[in-house]
Amino acid sequence: DEIGGTFDAVFLDDGRVWISGGTGVQGVLASTEFFDHRSSSFTQGSALAQPRTGHSAVAFRQGAQEAVLVIGGAAQIATGVQSRNSAEILDVASGQIVPAPSFGFDRLGVQAVNIGNRNVLAVGGVTVQGSSVASARAVDPESYDLAAGQWSPVQGRFLARAAAAVGQLANGDVLVSGGRSAAGYEASADLYVATTGTFQSAGNMSE
């Protein structure tokens, strides 16, 4: 019943879609919903512990159970928005949401990628407080070890960038291209190599 903007949606193994957060007519949302294509209906889910917009959510296996990690985004404050460094986990079977460890940087516009071996990669995003996105700072990538429950910086050569295109390749590597860095708009690309857990340069796009 709420208008959602900059929310995130995750396809679940049981065929449903889980939708979280976003921006509604009354501000940033903490609400979640499940969409079941078989009945073409929405049902309300447990609320996030923190309202968030511009966040990212990614499904993973937690033992035999499916879960969803929700990271970053922003909350509404009097002068605009405040980027978040917090995280939460949805247990799909129970529908309950519990806190997860926070990462090192606040990230609005972050993208989360399941890189296998019970690890999640957090790429891109900006740290911002207030209404001046122009002064926001792009932040470095981090990885989350689901088994250990902790975040770590990712090693290798990379460029801190926001609004980049992020795509996972068939071999598990992750290509991060374009976007904007402290120097301006970028034609460069970085590659996360899954076998080494590090970044390396992937050259430049033609434009």
Side-chain angles (χ1 to χ4, degrees):
D1 297 330
E2 298 180 89
I3 300 172
T6 55
F7 58 88
D8 205 353
V10 177
F11 291 93
L12 304 176
D13 287 346
D14 62 11
R16 294 180 299 167
V17 178
W18 185 65
I19 302 164
S20 59
T23 304
V25 293
Q26 296 182 343
V28 178
L29 306 174
S31 58
T32 73
E33 297 184 62
F34 291 91
F35 175 73
D36 190 331
H37 71 93
R38 291 159 294 197
S39 59
S40 296
S41 62
F42 288 91
T43 57
Q44 187 173 3
S46 299
L48 299 170
Q50 297 179 322
R52 58 183 80 222
T53 186
H55 57 288
S56 187
V58 61
F60 66 95
R61 303 300 301 183
Q62 191 165 252
Q65 302 297 322
E66 186 179 27
V68 178
L69 178 68
V70 182
I71 62 172
Q76 191 168 357
I77 59 175
T79 57
V81 295
Q82 169 67 62
S83 49
R84 291 195 181 281
N85 71 338
S86 59
E88 307 178 50
I89 292 177
L90 164 74
D91 180 89
V92 174
S94 68
Q96 298 301 304
I97 298 174
V98 298
S102 298
F103 39 70
F105 298 100
D106 297 350
R107 295 177 184 271
L108 170 62
V110 63
Q111 297 189 59
V113 183
N114 187 337
I115 52 177
N117 296 321
R118 299 202 67 192
N119 283 271
V120 170
L121 182 68
V123 183
V126 292
T127 294
V128 61
Q129 182 173 4
S131 58
S132 180
V133 177
S135 64
R137 179 174 66 92
V139 291
D140 296 341
E142 300 176 74
S143 65
Y144 182 59
D145 186 323
L146 296 160
Q150 65 182 24
W151 291 91
S152 303
V154 181
Q155 303 302 314
R157 181 181 174 183
F158 56 81
L159 182 67
R161 61 182 84 213
V166 179
Q168 190 167 27
L169 310 182
N171 65 354
D173 293 354
V174 179
L175 182 67
V176 183
S177 57
R180 186 168 185 168
S181 70
Y185 291 105
E186 291 290 338
S188 64
D190 297 318
L191 184 71
Y192 175 83
V193 181
T195 54
T196 63
T198 60
F199 269 96
Q200 64 184 39
S201 173
N204 294 305
M205 298 179 287
S206 59
E207 295 185 49

